Amino acid sequence: MHDDPITQASGPARVAEPGEGLSDAELALAARNHGMPLEALLHDTTPPGLHYVLVHYDIPFVPPDSPWPVTVDGLVRRPLTIDVAELRSRPAVTHRVTFECAGNGRARLLPRPISQPWLVEAVGTADWTGVPLRDVLAEADLSPDALEVVFTGADHGVERGVEQDYRRSLPLAEALQPDVLLAYAMNGAPLPPQHGYPLRLVVPGWYGMAQVKWLRGITVVDKPFDGFQQATAYRIRQAKTDPGEPVTRMAPRALLVPPGFPDFMTRTRVVHPGPIRLRGRAWSGTAPITSVDVSADDCRSWTATMLGPEPEHPWEWRTWKLPWIATPGEHVLAVRATDAHGRTQPLEQAWNLGGFANNAVQRVPVVCLDG
Ligand SMILES: Nc1nc2c(c(=O)[nH]1)N[C@H]1C(S)=C(S)[C@@H](COP(=O)(O)O)O[C@H]1N2
Ligand SMILES: [Mo]
């Protein structure tokens, strides 16, 4: 009902009216930008076709033999242009890193912010291979005034009336973290088109919006970047007039491998009575995961799970498991992660206008059959 041919209103997105159903526009976004089927939580690294995908505009067409020159300019003493082939010839570094879209969980918020309507599945983990960004920045020789680094993707679109390239910045200290990569491979193969072929930024620990795909330019600046994806989108605010706080690192979250088997239409989980191995993964972008608790009585009581081995990279998800005896009837399982900073998942979702960084506990209704 509110779907103008192009969304004209600049500024933050709107929220759904009470009772307003998903529009065709939201359905179109949901069909393009798929989540990770939660049964894929069983994989240590998500097979690329199962990793979630979020693309604001179109996936650029890049021929396999494209030289793909990447420029490094702005406040540097030695501006550079580096081809991807040249980056591939350098010593390679690989980090196993979990990504999550900052809008994960948005569709369950009330009122619902109108955007990609994620439930809980906007997550995935991959081995990302490339070269450290800081080596390239050192080669370009940063000027002492450098404050932020702006990353430009090759995709172009219009968003709430503003025509733009997809562009995001990082504070200099974050850009210089040794594990920030210019990545050309995912799980040992060239990046798939939808994940940024031939080159993307990988910023471990940060929500997805920082992981700029189809990276074609790196610009060093001496003022806070005020582009659309920095100053208008991806801010945690309660009201349109509120400047808000930037969305940065991932809040802790745990997910459950869906137990048993699904009902096709409702996706409700169905199990037979008896012992069930509950298991899943948990991650946080600010501190390692220290505990994961499970409730089998809809968040009334909690049991600590057994954590798997500490991951090699701090921003890679960690496994957890707990045996459970299913008895006939309806149950609501829930799972809650806590990190080393004592940050834990809330039972109720914290609302904000863009529906960002929400990490409410996952609740999974399960029907246990009589036999
Ligand atoms: N150039 C460009 N980079 C981008 C985006 C985009 O639309 N264009 N989307 C961002 C968002 S919001 C997310 S969540 C991640 C998703 O990365 P993935 O599709 O590889 O999982 O890419 C980020 N990088
Ligand atoms: Mo995202």
Side-chain angles (χ1 to χ4, degrees), residues 111-147:
R112 182 178 82 254
I114 304 281
S115 184
Q116 163 70 22
W118 294 121
L119 294 170
V120 79
E121 65 295 306
V123 65
T125 296
D127 284 335
W128 301 101
T129 301
V131 299
L133 170 68
R134 72 168 179 181
D135 293 354
V136 172
L137 292 177
E139 213 175 300
D141 199 3
L142 293 172
S143 123
D145 307 331
L147 181 76

Side-chain angles (χ1 to χ4, degrees), residues 1 14 21 37 58 60 89 94 101 105 115 119 123 137 151 170 179 198 212 227-228 295 342 346 363:
M1 69 182 111
R14 76 178 184 88
D58 288 347
S89 70
T94 299
C101 179
S115 184
L119 294 170
V123 65
L137 292 177
F151 302 90
L170 284 177
D179 58 356
V212 177
F228 183 93
S295 170
R363 293 165 72 244

Side-chain angles (χ1 to χ4, degrees), residues 51-57 99-102 128 152-155 166 186 194-196 200 207-215 234:
H51 193 285
Y52 88 95
V53 172
L54 193 297
V55 179
H56 283 235
Y57 313 128
F99 284 179
E100 182 185 12
C101 179
W128 301 101
T152 303
D155 48 333
Y166 187 87
M186 179 184 193
Q194 69 274 27
H195 293 295
R200 80 176 304 166
Y207 278 115
M209 74 282 151
Q211 326 287 343
V212 177
K213 301 191 272 192
W214 313 291
L215 181 66
Y234 297 111

Side-chain angles (χ1 to χ4, degrees), residues 55-74:
V55 179
H56 283 235
Y57 313 128
D58 288 347
I59 298 169
F61 173 72
V62 183
D65 52 359
S66 165
W68 201 263
V70 179
T71 53
V72 185
D73 57 17

Side-chain angles (χ1 to χ4, degrees), residues 37-100:
L38 292 185
E39 60 273 29
L41 284 166
L42 289 168
H43 297 265
D44 290 338
T45 53
T46 314
L50 299 182
H51 193 285
Y52 88 95
V53 172
L54 193 297
V55 179
H56 283 235
Y57 313 128
D58 288 347
I59 298 169
F61 173 72
V62 183
D65 52 359
S66 165
W68 201 263
V70 179
T71 53
V72 185
D73 57 17
L75 295 174
V76 293
R77 295 200 186 87
R78 216 157 71 86
L80 307 170
T81 301
I82 313 178
D83 285 359
V84 169
E86 207 269 285
L87 290 176
R88 281 196 206 103
S89 70
R90 297 181 180 203
V93 177
T94 299
H95 294 305
R96 184 166 297 178
V97 170
T98 298
F99 284 179
E100 182 185 12

